[in-house]
Amino acid sequence: MSDMAQPNRLPAGGAIEGRVDRNRPLAFTFDGKSYSGYAGDTLASALIAAGVKLIGRSFKYHRPRGIFSAGPEEPNALIELRGGARREPNTRATTIELYDGLEAASQNRWPSLAFDILAINQIASPLFVGGFYYKTFMWPASFWEKVYEPLIRRAAGLGRASESPDPDHYEKAYAFCDVLVVGSGPAGLAAALAAGRSGARVILCEDDAQLGGRLLSERQTIDDAPAHLFAAAAGGELRSLPNVCVMSRTQVFGAYDSEVYGALERVADHVTAPAAGVPRQRFWHIAAKRCVNAMGATERPIVFGGNDRPGVMLASAVRTYLNRFGVLPGRKAVVFTTNDDGWRTAADLVAAGAQVEAVVDPRASVDENLTKAAAAGGVRVLLGGYIVNVTGGARGVTSAIVSVAGKRQILTADLVAVSGGWNPQVALTTHRGGKPRWSDALSTFVPGDLPDGMTVAGAANGDLGLAESLRKGSEAGAAAAAACGFSAAPAPQPRAEDEPTAVAPLWHVAESRHKAFVDLQNDVTADDITLAHAEGFRSIEHLKRYTTLGMATDQGKTSNLNGHAMMAALTGQAMSDVGTILSRPPHQPVAIGAFAGHHRDRHFRPTRHTAGHAWALENGAVMVEAGPWLRPQYFPRSGEKDWLTTVVREVRTVRSVVGVCDVSTLGRIDIQGRDAAAFLDRVYVNTFSTLPVGKARYGVMLREDGFVMDDGTTSRFAEDHYVMSTTTANAAKIMQHLEFCHQALWPELDVSMVSVTEQWSQYAVAGPKARELLMQLYGPDVDLSNDALPYMGCREIPLRGIPTRLFRISFSGELAYELAVPARYGAAVLEALMALCGALGGCPYGTEAQSVMRIEKGHVAGNELNGQTVARDLGLGRMMSTKRDYIGRVMAGRPALMAPDRPTLVGIRPVEKGRRLTAGAHILPGGAAAVAANDQGYVTSVAYSPTCEGWIGLALVVNGPARHGERVHAFDAMRNNDQDVVICSPVFVDPEGVRLRG
Amino acid sequence: MRIPCPFCGVRDLTEFTYLGDASLAQRPDPASPDAAARFHEYVHLRDNPAGLHDELWYHGGGCRSWLTVTRNTRTHVIEGAKLTRTSKSWTATS
Amino acid sequence: MADAALQLKARSAFDGLLVPGGPKDAGIVVTERKDLQIATVIARSSGFAEAIKTAYGIALPSGPKRIVVHEITLLGTGPRAWFALRAGERPLASDLEQSLGEHAAVADQSDGYGVLRVSGAKVRALLAKGVPIDLHPRAFAADDVAVTVCSHIGIMLWRSDADSSFDIAMFRSLCGSFWSWLSESAEEFGLRVEAE
């Protein structure tokens, strides 16, 4: 690797050389051009090493932007990572670990990064001031779609998402611990060591690939050795403890109720593609008894003219690039700092061999040691000074214009390092409603009320000194472990110094006359804040919405405080009164895919299969979702031109011969107990205590508000033993309801219930030859005559040694049975049934044919049990017991629900023979205008009836039963299917029920 | 959010279904002369306190018990949870 | 149709899903427990505890605990509910009904559930991807039982005798979805399916 390729890489063996692995060079491309870096680099450090300054174009003005930070707070260096289906927009170059073959591209530029046509937006910038969306594009209205929107979409929008499905998978996982430590800087490491040594179960999460936090970026010492060695040793010890789990590349992004934390582990983001079986990312749900929040702090920039130019960089980031990565972000630097910490950048730059033109500090006086050290390094000290403007262009900074006591001077520079102080990462302390507290000493917000179980240590709590961070971290870790019942002998504190950290507040250099950016990512300028104030958008929440300050991927990590402080200056408020923006998780961007985990595509939710599923597929069934189940919808045969042809054939076969339908998905609840009968009498409108053993009865249940909840058939197998069936869709809901009735309302009843849905496979056998088929199945010894098993009878009958239950019930209106067999035999019995059925000329049928036949019989189903109907509406009013109370009885007696003119179940037929009906059409009196006042009900279900040879429907119509024979209008403007229909009985087939009793 | 189920231990929210105000376990006497008014109140009217609230949750993803959970509606802190089935009840293992 | 031709073939819950094989050093080993008789038992009266004691000579522990008595494994699944399992052909539900009489409601569920034994060095890492409860040995002891969910699927989970071996029962209809979750989640650890 030559210096030519990495001109800004510090030489190995120098005073500052960084800690990348120079034995492992890595190749990568940026905008198609090849570069090289080393293992241990981030994309940002490798680009700096390669001398690339221009990384992207800004959001609104398309101004050239470079690398501003060295961490997740990066507002500028957003790039598209990878290509093809794995292309990911708006990733931060400062957090991307370099890997061999990495592809990255700049974004928000056209046609190229260096020559970007929309940079003209800078000239048109008055158009793009705060609130520009609301002002600029309001007129003429017709311009919006054709002109303004396409313009905005091209101009803004940052990166492009891949349009192909994500080829990688994501996982969710759960973790539990006594102590969660967030962050592995000095405080986090000390906390994890203290807690880990006590024996408590500890999880340490670190966003970076390496443990150490700022220890990796500073030239500090701990126990007289370089601080990064302490981090490595601590990491080694922690990893050796069986009770400690160290999770690097894992960012804790949210604190949730009941001490649950959300974390994202980037399992395979640092490689080209995940290995087989390895997810790209894993979403962790961590339940922690205690949490030590040691997330550290983010350095705050200062707002001044030209502060967005490539080469203006956070002072601490400069140190990171020098000390950790061994790259030199500039050769001639000016440091602009309001605090002691920033002076260290000057010292480190000098140590790395760079020229530091000056340290500009607005304070009138600073610690003598700082000025002495600067002077020793040949650095000018400009106290009481400000940078008012930075000049430069796409190639970066060329000079800084400094004002000291009203006098301006131009300093040639290619790097401006900026520090306005440090903002503790308070986000995790606020997600559950905690309000940060203003600290005058630090000129920033520090954690205020803490959520249950959390303590904050180190820079995250405003303790910026190294020795203090180590001590406070250790104390917090030990206390957290002690709260979980673990204690350890106190260990000696590592030796370290507290460096000076004094700071004076400075948000904005008011003298600046050039464009000065508050929010680099959203191109919000100092003028925008003034404008928002002038136009009345003064609360910080309004300021955010009006100017977009603090929005998008960085959520204002480097901009909010400055913007809010500037507004506070305009309104004359104290910062403690201004407060902070409400912050919600996630603290950093999290891919939706990570939230979904395994539950994507066909795994969106679990699917339930009956024992007959494989048979149905083998026999060509088209499947349909019924709640969580898959059911055969119909069984097309070759030559059938559409689904209707198939369904008509299936219906005709059942009505004339026999058919078999898998009804295993119906809910079945086993109900036992001395009070089982009494219990059923209280949950059904009709009476089950009078049901003889060996009989089944149709029942209707109401909700307590009087509306119908569900229906089904319940059978009695013994005095104290019933089996209830529910609709497929409501099975779980009914179980929950029955448990509520028992546990909450009537715990004194001796009744118990358990779902046996899964124990049984159940098949409807329907049609004139149903009995014949079942006699063949059971053999000659079993009597299935009308006397032995009459309509609505049920019996337990062994079939070749297996117990089965046979119910003489009919949904189709034909002679029909439902045969229940233990599920392990479900497939075999279905195969046997179908062999016999086929030999008799019968066929399998699906949910469509079932639905046609129930409409022909006027049986209600989901379309009628729609939560808006009472039993009377469905013609079931006579079932309602008048002798006793049941759930829903009192409320069903409300006058409006008893009103005779409620829409009530009827059948309808089209006047024009052969015309198709549509469900959802509204019923109007003949000739009446189609207005809501004339609405008399609606069509709930329709079907083509092979039996009636035409379309039929069920409808709920005002005074319906009294109107059989009346011609009304079915209004369906939505599907352009207005037509006249005739009201009739809802029972189209065999109204006397001769067939089902046959 | 996590709920301390008296039977199963502390469990994640996803195992539970919310029903509402614990007053729903106090079904009015259907035979009372003002049953209509009392049922109207029972079905439709709810207090909405800012602070401690007794409410019914169903542990359908666990032991299938109905629980009466005391939750602080301001902070989501769960103060406690007990089986809704208490009156006239007995335990199977004592 | 002749009786002989109609010998009805039983299919286990994971029939067609589990194919024996896989690497020797797999981090996850899965076996279907096919031979189980299963019943749910719900106590109906305060006489239940006494009836258990009379029939089996033990006091049932309260809470979600596992106890094995007369080859019957009883899992506490609710305040008055147990899940009972016994290996072999001998019908369990009817035995329990006989022993407990009117003190319990017993339902045969031998066909209603699929049961997997999942073991291996990585079993806890695997289960962490779906099970929202703490299975660390400090939190989930050898006789602990949990009724919970895994990847949105309701399960019953208990330790079998070995430290890193768990039995998991779920509704039969959900075995396919459960298996797709398990097999995908176990891929990174290596997965071996063994016949019982």
Side-chain angles (χ1 to χ4, degrees):
Chain A
M1 200 57 53
S2 71
D3 287 342
M4 295 283 283
Q6 297 187 32
N8 294 335
R9 183 74 67 182
L10 291 165
I16 292 183
E17 56 174 345
R19 288 183 306 280
V20 292
D21 185 351
R22 294 181 193 238
N23 295 319
R24 287 176 57 206
L26 304 171
F28 70 100
T29 66
F30 179 64
D31 279 347
K33 195 171 166 204
S34 297
Y35 297 96
S36 64
Y38 293 117
D41 266 326
T42 61
L43 175 59
S45 69
L47 286 167
I48 291 171
V52 178
K53 281 213 148 174
L54 176 61
I55 308 294
R57 291 276 174 174
S58 74
F59 183 60
K60 280 197 296 194
Y61 303 125
H62 286 242
R63 283 171 64 106
R65 292 285 166 83
I67 293 163
F68 188 69
S69 75
E73 68 271 29
E74 178 62 32
N76 274 347
L78 303 184
I79 55 110
E80 289 175 357
L81 183 63
R82 302 186 172 88
R86 289 195 168 91
R87 188 176 68 211
E88 191 181 348
N90 307 334
T91 55
R92 294 152 293 177
T94 50
T95 63
I96 297 163
E97 287 175 62
L98 197 66
Y99 56 84
D100 206 38
L102 180 148
E103 282 177 65
S106 60
Q107 53 189 39
N108 205 30
R109 80 300 192 255
W110 185 79
S112 75
L113 183 55
F115 177 73
D116 177 55
I117 282 179
L118 285 163
I120 198 162
N121 283 0
Q122 292 177 66
I123 295 159
S125 62
L127 281 177
F128 289 91
V129 294
F132 77 105
Y133 278 104
Y134 312 114
K135 292 174 182 164
T136 313
F137 302 106
M138 293 307 287
W139 69 94
S142 61
F143 269 39
W144 176 254
E145 247 179 69
K146 292 209 162 60
V147 182
Y148 295 143
E149 192 183 343
L151 176 72
I152 292 171
R153 291 213 181 275
R154 159 145 293 171
L158 296 176
R160 304 162 302 151
S162 163
E163 288 172 19
S164 312
D166 189 335
D168 299 323
H169 79 276
Y170 299 79
E171 277 181 357
K172 282 197 263 198
Y174 297 88
F176 301 82
C177 60
D178 296 310
V179 181
L180 170 67
V181 180
V182 185
S184 73
L189 286 175
L193 285 170
R197 286 167 182 162
S198 76
R201 289 167 66 195
V202 175
I203 294 176
L204 171 62
C205 291
E206 168 54 54
D207 197 6
D208 201 280
Q210 290 182 45
L211 302 188
R214 287 301 300 168
L215 298 179
L216 302 176
S217 299
E218 305 290 3
R219 293 191 299 150
Q220 294 167 309
T221 61
I222 298 177
D223 289 339
D224 303 321
H228 67 88
L229 295 179
F230 171 82
E237 179 181 345
L238 290 168
R239 287 193 167 93
S240 76
L241 294 173
N243 53 313
V244 176
C245 172
V246 176
M247 298 173 70
S248 58
R249 299 190 177 100
T250 304
Q251 54 136 320
V252 176
F253 60 75
Y256 299 88
D257 293 323
S258 311
E259 289 80 82
V260 169
Y261 299 85
L264 184 74
E265 181 186 9
R266 300 183 307 278
V267 183
D269 272 358
H270 60 294
V271 294
T272 314
V278 174
R280 173 169 293 285
Q281 296 174 345
R282 196 178 278 133
F283 175 109
W284 286 95
H285 175 288
I286 303 174
K289 293 190 183 115
R290 310 289 302 182
C291 172
V292 178
N293 175 354
M295 283 182 79
T298 303
E299 198 169 35
R300 175 166 80 231
I302 304 166
V303 180
F304 54 85
N307 64 336
D308 66 323
R309 299 201 185 280
V312 177
M313 189 180 279
L314 289 172
S316 60
V318 172
R319 299 203 295 277
T320 300
Y321 288 117
L322 295 173
N323 297 320
R324 177 171 176 184
F325 299 111
V327 298
L328 194 57
R331 288 165 195 280
K332 206 166 184 181
V334 174
V335 176
F336 182 21
T337 180
T338 65
N339 61 86
D340 298 351
D341 191 64
W343 290 69
R344 282 201 272 168
T345 300
D348 289 6
L349 279 165
V350 169
Q355 186 182 338
V356 178
E357 283 289 286
V359 175
V360 181
D361 193 322
R363 293 177 292 179
S365 67
V366 300
D367 189 326
E368 239 180 40
N369 290 327
L370 297 174
T371 50
K372 276 184 192 160
V379 178
R380 289 167 66 194
V381 173
L382 300 174
L383 295 182
Y386 303 86
I387 292 184
V388 292
N389 191 23
V390 171
T391 62
R395 295 199 181 145
V397 170
T398 53
S399 72
I401 297 160
V402 177
S403 167
V404 184
K407 280 186 154 172
R408 297 210 171 178
Q409 48 189 300
I410 299 175
L411 304 179
T412 309
D414 61 358
L415 174 68
V416 175
V418 185
S419 179
W422 289 87
N423 294 338
Q425 290 273 16
V426 296
L428 279 192
T429 70
T430 66
H431 287 167
R432 290 168 63 191
K435 294 261 184 287
R437 181 173 56 77
W438 179 255
S439 160
D440 277 324
L442 296 171
S443 302
T444 189
F445 286 99
V446 295
D449 316 325
L450 296 179
D452 286 348
M454 184 186 287
T455 50
V456 188
N461 207 32
D463 301 326
L464 298 175
L466 176 58
E468 193 179 20
S469 282
L470 289 165
R471 191 179 68 249
K472 295 273 180 71
S474 186
E475 287 167 8
C484 303
F486 296 89
S487 61
Q493 282 300 313
R495 256 187 336 282
E497 303 225 339
D498 278 326
E499 61 282 11
T501 54
V503 61
L506 173 68
W507 325 112
H508 173 214
V509 178
E511 267 182 82
S512 291
R513 288 291 165 265
H514 295 84
K515 208 177 272 295
F517 287 86
V518 180
D519 183 329
L520 294 165
Q521 185 164 103
N522 295 295
D523 271 358
V524 177
T525 65
D527 289 346
D528 290 330
I529 308 284
T530 312
L531 184 74
H533 176 260
E535 297 191 344
F537 295 90
R538 294 174 186 179
S539 103
I540 54 173
E541 297 286 355
H542 289 160
L543 175 66
K544 174 177 181 174
R545 274 74 187 176
Y546 196 59
T547 63
T548 68
L549 169 70
M551 293 189 179
T553 59
D554 70 353
Q555 288 288 295
K557 289 183 177 55
T558 57
S559 61
N560 272 344
L561 191 73
N562 285 338
H564 299 165
M566 289 163 70
M567 180 58 84
L570 291 167
T571 57
Q573 278 179 292
M575 282 304 279
S576 51
D577 295 330
V578 169
T580 51
I581 289 271
L582 178 66
S583 116
R584 304 179 187 85
H587 176 57
Q588 287 188 40
V590 179
I592 298 287
F595 283 101
H598 176 76
H599 301 286
R600 180 177 148 179
D601 301 327
R602 72 189 171 90
H603 300 304
F604 180 66
R605 63 175 185 182
T607 307
R608 300 177 75 169
H609 291 165
T610 68
H613 185 73
W615 186 92
L617 293 183
E618 283 159 22
N619 287 274
V622 172
M623 306 301 283
V624 63
E625 287 181 14
W629 295 90
L630 282 178
R631 297 189 65 184
Q633 190 174 16
Y634 52 96
F635 291 83
R637 287 183 178 167
S638 61
E640 288 177 339
K641 67 176 168 44
D642 58 13
W643 67 271
L644 188 56
T645 313
T646 303
V647 172
V648 165
R649 191 249 310 145
E650 288 177 9
V651 171
R652 286 201 172 119
T653 306
V654 173
R655 294 243 183 263
S656 61
V657 192
V658 66
V660 174
C661 181
D662 188 346
V663 294
S664 306
T665 61
L666 293 176
R668 279 173 292 276
I669 301 172
D670 188 90
I671 300 175
Q672 298 186 40
R674 200 173 49 250
D675 298 322
F679 180 75
L680 290 173
D681 283 353
R682 296 187 193 186
V683 297
Y684 275 126
V685 302
N686 48 331
T687 307
F688 281 80
S689 51
T690 56
L691 181 69
V693 171
K695 283 286 197 180
R697 182 170 283 169
Y698 174 73
V700 170
M701 274 185 218
L702 307 185
R703 306 188 305 227
E704 193 67 274
D705 66 2
F707 288 86
V708 175
M709 177 161 64
D710 201 51
D711 69 348
T713 304
T714 288
S715 310
R716 192 170 199 173
F717 285 94
E719 278 303 313
D720 60 355
H721 186 195
Y722 292 80
V723 175
M724 173 188 286
S725 67
T726 74
T727 57
T728 299
N730 284 339
K733 198 171 91 183
I734 298 303
M735 187 70 194
Q736 179 177 333
H737 171 71
L738 297 181
E739 292 281 19
F740 177 79
C741 291
H742 181 217
Q743 294 180 28
L745 302 183
W746 309 307
E748 69 280 7
L749 295 186
D750 169 17
V751 61
S752 61
M753 55 216 90
V754 65
S755 169
V756 290
T757 304
E758 298 273 353
Q759 169 68 13
W760 301 94
S761 291
Q762 196 152 320
Y763 303 105
V765 181
K769 294 194 175 178
R771 182 181 288 120
E772 189 179 340
L773 193 164
L774 287 167
M775 282 165 61
Q776 289 180 13
L777 181 76
Y778 277 105
D781 300 338
V782 175
D783 181 4
L784 295 181
S785 68
N786 235 347
D787 292 338
L789 186 61
Y791 178 58
M792 296 308 268
C794 60
R795 274 172 64 195
E796 293 176 293
I797 310 172
L799 167 65
R800 269 169 266 284
I802 65 170
T804 73
R805 289 171 175 173
L806 191 62
F807 304 83
R808 174 93 186 266
I809 53 181
S810 176
F811 199 44
S812 58
E814 296 301 321
L815 167 66
Y817 300 82
E818 286 188 12
L819 166 62
V821 303
R824 76 180 62 185
Y825 300 103
V829 168
L830 179 62
E831 286 156 15
L833 270 176
M834 291 319 305
L836 296 168
C837 180
L840 288 171
C843 71
Y845 66 97
T847 56
E848 279 302 324
Q850 188 186 41
S851 174
V852 170
M853 289 188 282
R854 73 98 188 163
I855 294 170
E856 288 180 335
K857 280 296 289 180
H859 288 314
V860 293
N863 294 9
E864 289 78 32
L865 307 177
N866 59 11
Q868 300 175 47
T869 46
V870 298
R872 283 179 196 82
D873 301 344
L874 304 175
L876 306 171
R878 275 172 305 171
M879 288 170 64
M880 298 166 82
S881 170
T882 53
K883 300 195 182 99
R884 54 178 179 80
D885 185 57
Y886 49 83
I887 295 280
R889 182 189 65 88
V890 174
M891 294 298 269
R894 287 180 284 174
L897 300 187
M898 303 282 282
D901 60 349
R902 281 182 63 83
T904 306
L905 189 73
V906 293
I908 55 164
R909 290 173 187 266
V911 166
E912 191 183 321
K913 201 167 162 56
R915 182 95 183 254
R916 187 173 192 147
L917 294 169
T918 42
H922 276 253
I923 301 296
L924 303 166
V931 294
N934 292 332
D935 190 11
Q936 294 199 324
Y938 55 97
V939 181
T940 54
S941 302
V942 300
Y944 176 79
S945 164
T947 320
C948 304
E949 296 187 325
W951 284 81
I952 60 171
L954 299 177
L956 296 163
V957 178
V958 168
N959 278 327
R963 296 170 68 180
H964 291 182
E966 184 181 330
R967 181 171 168 155
V968 292
H969 190 66
F971 176 75
D972 188 354
M974 187 78 82
R975 280 155 299 190
N976 199 20
N977 191 27
D978 279 8
Q979 61 180 305
D980 282 355
V981 297
V982 175
I983 295 176
C984 60
S985 158
V987 187
F988 294 87
V989 171
D990 187 25
E992 293 79 27
V994 175
R995 295 187 190 185
L996 50 80
R997 292 189 171 78
Chain B
M1 188 188 287
R2 299 183 349 124
I3 296 175
C5 172
F7 184 82
C8 300
V10 180
R11 291 296 181 86
D12 194 68
L13 175 69
T14 50
E15 294 186 3
F16 298 85
T17 311
Y18 182 72
L19 181 68
D21 192 323
S23 67
L24 282 168
Q26 312 302 320
R27 190 171 185 263
D29 178 2
S32 69
D34 58 345
R38 292 175 64 184
F39 268 86
H40 167 72
E41 184 166 337
Y42 170 69
V43 171
H44 295 301
L45 302 183
R46 300 277 185 281
D47 288 339
N48 184 21
L52 294 187
H53 185 224
D54 285 345
E55 51 200 21
L56 293 164
W57 291 78
Y58 181 56
H59 196 190
C63 63
R64 313 199 74 88
S65 295
W66 277 94
L67 307 181
T68 305
V69 176
T70 306
R71 180 176 64 99
N72 188 320
T73 59
R74 289 177 184 276
T75 61
H76 284 187
V77 170
I78 307 277
E79 303 281 336
K82 58 184 175 47
L83 296 180
T84 304
R85 167 162 54 193
T86 48
S87 66
K88 299 175 208 166
S89 72
W90 43 269
T91 55
T93 52
S94 57
Chain C
M1 210 174 278
D3 277 10
L6 252 178
Q7 190 58 48
L8 295 166
K9 184 187 163 206
R11 287 177 174 84
S12 74
F14 284 90
D15 183 74
L17 292 168
L18 265 57
V19 181
K24 274 206 171 60
D25 61 347
I28 301 294
V29 181
V30 174
T31 307
E32 181 181 7
R33 297 196 64 196
K34 295 180 186 179
D35 63 331
L36 296 172
Q37 297 292 316
I38 301 173
T40 45
V41 180
I42 303 174
R44 277 174 53 187
S45 73
S46 52
F48 177 80
E50 197 53 43
I52 284 278
K53 198 166 274 175
T54 309
Y56 300 107
I58 50 140
L60 283 184
S62 58
K65 291 286 176 186
R66 176 177 67 124
I67 189 168
V68 181
V69 59
H70 294 282
E71 297 172 352
I72 301 171
T73 299
L74 282 161
L75 311 173
T77 55
R80 293 177 184 175
W82 284 267
F83 194 68
L85 307 100
R86 183 166 69 194
E89 299 273 297
R90 200 148 46 101
L92 175 61
S94 48
D95 281 7
L96 289 166
E97 257 167 23
Q98 248 167 20
S99 316
L100 302 173
E102 63 177 13
H103 299 297
V106 178
D108 185 6
Q109 302 274 18
S110 303
D111 297 60
Y113 290 84
V115 183
L116 289 184
R117 175 155 293 175
V118 186
S119 58
K122 294 289 185 181
V123 67
R124 285 186 176 80
L126 168 72
L127 294 178
K129 297 185 188 188
V131 180
I133 60 172
D134 191 356
L135 297 177
H136 189 277
R138 283 188 199 169
F140 196 81
D143 63 344
D144 275 338
V145 172
V147 185
T148 181
V149 291
C150 177
S151 192
H152 298 188
I153 294 167
I155 60 164
M156 271 168 272
L157 174 87
W158 64 99
R159 286 257 298 270
S160 51
D161 294 321
D163 171 64
S164 54
S165 178
F166 292 85
D167 283 0
I168 303 173
M170 76 228 61
F171 280 150
R172 168 185 276 264
S173 70
L174 288 161
C175 289
S177 282
F178 186 83
W179 182 246
S180 79
W181 167 81
L182 190 151
S183 53
E184 285 177 25
S185 300
E187 192 182 347
E188 66 171 313
F189 308 123
L191 170 64
R192 187 171 74 249
V193 174
E194 288 182 352
E196 200 168 16

